[in-house]
Amino acid sequence: MTVGGTTGIENGDRPVSEAGGGSSRAPGRPGQEVAFTARDQYVDAVAEYRHGGFETCADLCAVDYLTHPGRTLPDGVHPERFEVVVNLLSLSQARRVRLRVQVPESDATVPSLFDLYPGTEAMEREVFDLFGIVFEGHPDMTRILLPEDWEGHPLRKDYGVGRIPVQFKGAPGPR
Amino acid sequence: MSDPTSNSPSDRADAPDAVPDTVLAPPISGDQFLMPAPGGSTEGLAAETSEGPQELFRRGETDPSQLRREVGAVLRLPEGVAIDPSNIDIEQTDDETMIINMGPQHPSTHGVLRLMLELDGETVLRTKPVIGYLHTGMEKTAEELTYVQGSTNVTRMDYLAPLHNELVLSLAVEALLGIEMPPRSDWIRMLMVELNRVSSHLMWMATNGMDLGSTSMMIYGFREREMVLAFFEKTTGLRMNHNFIRPGGTAADLPDGWEDDVTVICDTVLARTAEYDELLTGQPLFRQRSEGIGTLSAEEALALSLTGPVLRSTGVPWDLRRAMPYLRYDEVDFDVIVGTYGDNFDRYSIRLNEIRESCRIIRQIVEKMPAGDYRVQDKKVTPPPRGRIDESMEALIHHFKVFTEGFKVPEGEVYVAVESPRGELGCYLVSDGSPKAYRMHIRGPSFVNLQGLPLMMRGGLLADAVAVCSTIDPVMGEVDR
């Protein structure tokens, strides 16, 4: 489907065989509806879905594609480092749609969906906390899971793992 | 984010009982906003435990426009929508209100949930949940684990419904792999997750009873849950964190005589729910403390993305098992329980009746369980049977490779959601074609449902705050991940 400047593809962005009675029982496989939208049309596209019967925003998360740049994208979508993924849910139509927005590293900001779906409040804070993507217009853009003085955004792919001592406030340093 | 702690420490300093004699760290010098408390000094502690701007600010320290915005944010509603403007008590001054902390060590917060409550006398005006005390970076850990190891990680998130977590990850991996599951594995999974729903709701009945002062209910709930856990131990070897449902099927077949065990569990639990009715449902004290408390409308619940019993209590018949069936839920007969008023009592009745519906499903599973494999016979995903390892070198190598290197999953993304006891449990899985997940995001129902708390608490009494928090049924392991 095509909605207000979004490039849409049905059934996911890779060929999915829907044959076989057993296999189609995995949820999400039949009809994973994915749409791509540019960042400047993002809020308008979501608003169009909002008025088109998608009553609730089920999920909002981000992916850092730093170490996986060659992912499969439809024509016309320029890959950027970050991708914000919004899962909208229509209860009346029992249908999900997934919107993917490319967010460049140099300007990691996205408009907030708070006015359309207030339920994205905590999810956007989580993405900000773990990825450092700022949601413009969000009423309370603070960290949510990590302490306020935490350095870095752990779910970024260039955030080191394993060798960083756990940060405790006021703890004595290494000997 | 400068001057982060300018609001709160003085509130906590008001409570002289909470003042420890020892100070954990030297006080920060030159901190003008830390008030000395009678009987000791809390500066170090207050600074150490501060969450900065994540906390709830006092009214006097925010200008009206900011406050208006914050009222909107803290109530989790856009400005001017669904709130009566006269209801936003912006004119209220700090002399009349007080901000107190409930948690993170409060027993009724069911874990390490910290609620900052703004009180006007006994009435709750604003509430802000401050979370993250149990954050262990499990989504980051998942990127370091193979898909075989992945279920050991996710099972620790929602520790009251571990099998649902394993299920959602397994379904996501299988959707990317595009493998066809044998029918028996679907039915075994359904049996296990429905039993898990019973045990989780029983646990909720127990803790909710305790929050409302019924210690008998607490003992009863734990007693019945123990039966389910004993069956889990028999089947999976563990009482929790089972790692039983894995990508490609289950870890083992059901033990001999499982039909009898499960039937006994159903019979006993159903008989005991009648006792709960007598103990709680019809009891005037319980009803007075739950009816009309913490109400929510369907529009508000949908706007705040709430799911599960919290959403169904408002009258929205949304259950993923019915609306978007997975496994074999379209082949069993069950009712979706909905409420009317969206209050605590509705949420209680929904969970009580969902226990009964789950028992109904379990009985049908006992009748319909097909014979066959409990895991997919796909050599790429499934290790060879134990017996073959002793006689075949290839089988040994294959077994070794599955458990050390894991198996490769085709590139792609998938979002899968199941109905956990708390609501929509989703998994967004991104694969780059390697044996490790490139990104695994879990949409935790409690994390999202907590957003309803400020709205449900608003205008209620402090004594009911404990009960309202309980009926959301947050599991902090999943909230913080």
Side-chain angles (χ1 to χ4, degrees), chain B residues 353-406:
Chain B
N353 285 300
E354 278 188 1
I355 294 176
R356 295 177 173 140
E357 289 305 313
S358 286
C359 289
R360 201 172 136 199
I361 296 175
I362 291 165
R363 286 180 196 277
Q364 295 174 54
I365 294 172
V366 173
E367 280 169 26
K368 293 188 178 179
M369 179 68 75
D373 279 326
Y374 60 91
R375 56 184 182 182
V376 68
Q377 287 307 320
D378 184 332
K379 291 207 166 39
K380 204 177 81 172
V381 180
T382 310
R386 197 78 216 168
R388 288 209 56 229
I389 295 174
D390 297 335
E391 53 196 44
S392 156
M393 176 62 109
E394 285 72 30
L396 181 64
I397 295 170
H398 182 205
H399 178 94
F400 185 72
K401 282 190 80 141
V402 166
F403 282 102
T404 52
E405 289 172 16

Side-chain angles (χ1 to χ4, degrees), chain B residues 124-361:
Chain B
V124 180
L125 295 178
R126 295 185 294 158
T127 310
K128 189 170 185 186
V130 181
I131 60 172
Y133 293 95
L134 211 55
H135 179 67
T136 46
M138 295 171 101
E139 291 183 5
K140 187 77 175 172
T141 309
E143 294 171 7
E144 300 294 317
L145 299 175
T146 64
Y147 292 102
V148 182
Q149 298 164 328
S151 51
T152 60
N153 180 36
V154 292
T155 191
R156 282 159 172 78
M157 288 182 179
D158 183 349
Y159 40 76
L160 293 182
L163 288 159
H164 285 89
N165 289 288
E166 297 167 18
L167 175 69
V168 75
L169 178 78
S170 303
L171 288 174
V173 174
E174 286 153 13
L176 282 176
L177 282 167
I179 50 177
E180 193 174 323
M181 297 303 294
R184 186 176 171 87
S185 95
D186 280 353
W187 286 91
I188 293 178
R189 288 172 171 195
M190 253 168 77
L191 173 75
M192 296 303 278
V193 294
E194 283 312 313
L195 281 170
N196 204 169
R197 192 182 313 276
V198 170
S199 79
S200 173
H201 280 348
L202 283 171
M203 174 83 182
W204 179 82
M205 300 281 299
T207 51
N208 184 58
M210 186 170 67
D211 288 341
L212 289 173
S214 170
T215 35
S216 324
M217 188 61 237
M218 188 196 93
I219 306 292
Y220 292 166
F222 272 92
R223 179 184 65 186
E224 270 74 271
R225 176 172 175 262
E226 204 59 31
M227 295 174 55
V228 184
L229 292 193
F231 179 74
F232 283 165
E233 189 174 6
K234 190 176 173 184
T235 310
T236 72
L238 292 164
R239 287 158 55 86
M240 60 190 289
N241 303 340
H242 310 281
N243 190 20
F244 182 69
I245 298 175
R246 299 173 180 185
T250 56
D253 209 339
L254 293 170
D256 290 341
W258 65 272
E259 296 96 335
D260 299 338
D261 294 343
V262 164
T263 309
V264 169
I265 291 176
C266 284
D267 291 346
T268 317
V269 168
L270 280 179
R272 298 274 166 80
T273 53
E275 289 178 19
Y276 303 162
D277 268 341
E278 242 167 81
L279 181 68
L280 292 179
T281 315
Q283 196 213 48
L285 265 178
F286 177 76
R287 292 189 79 115
Q288 276 178 17
R289 284 217 55 195
S290 54
E291 282 178 339
I293 309 287
T295 52
L296 206 62
S297 75
E299 291 75 31
E300 288 162 348
L302 285 173
L304 294 169
S305 303
L306 310 185
T307 48
V310 184
L311 175 63
R312 287 195 285 278
S313 74
T314 65
V316 181
W318 182 257
D319 188 322
L320 288 174
R321 293 176 292 171
R322 169 65 53 82
M324 297 177 166
Y326 51 97
L327 297 177
R328 308 276 163 161
Y329 277 110
D330 46 352
E331 294 174 29
V332 290
D333 192 27
F334 67 100
D335 289 333
V336 176
I337 315 287
V338 291
T340 313
Y341 304 103
D343 60 0
N344 279 1
F345 188 74
D346 276 355
R347 288 185 280 274
Y348 160 81
S349 332
I350 285 174
R351 292 199 174 94
L352 179 62
N353 285 300
E354 278 188 1
I355 294 176
R356 295 177 173 140
E357 289 305 313
S358 286
C359 289
R360 201 172 136 199
I361 296 175

Side-chain angles (χ1 to χ4, degrees), chain B residues 19-70:
Chain B
V19 175
D21 289 323
T22 50
V23 175
L24 297 177
I28 301 163
S29 58
D31 249 353
Q32 73 283 5
F33 42 76
L34 292 172
M35 266 168 54
S41 159
T42 55
E43 282 106 352
L45 191 65
E48 269 189 21
T49 55
S50 167
E51 290 294 333
Q54 294 180 28
E55 297 188 347
L56 186 66
F57 286 82
R58 295 182 73 152
R59 282 160 194 260
E61 280 146 18
T62 38
D63 68 65
S65 68
Q66 258 187 327
L67 184 64
R68 187 179 290 276
R69 205 183 60 170
E70 188 179 282

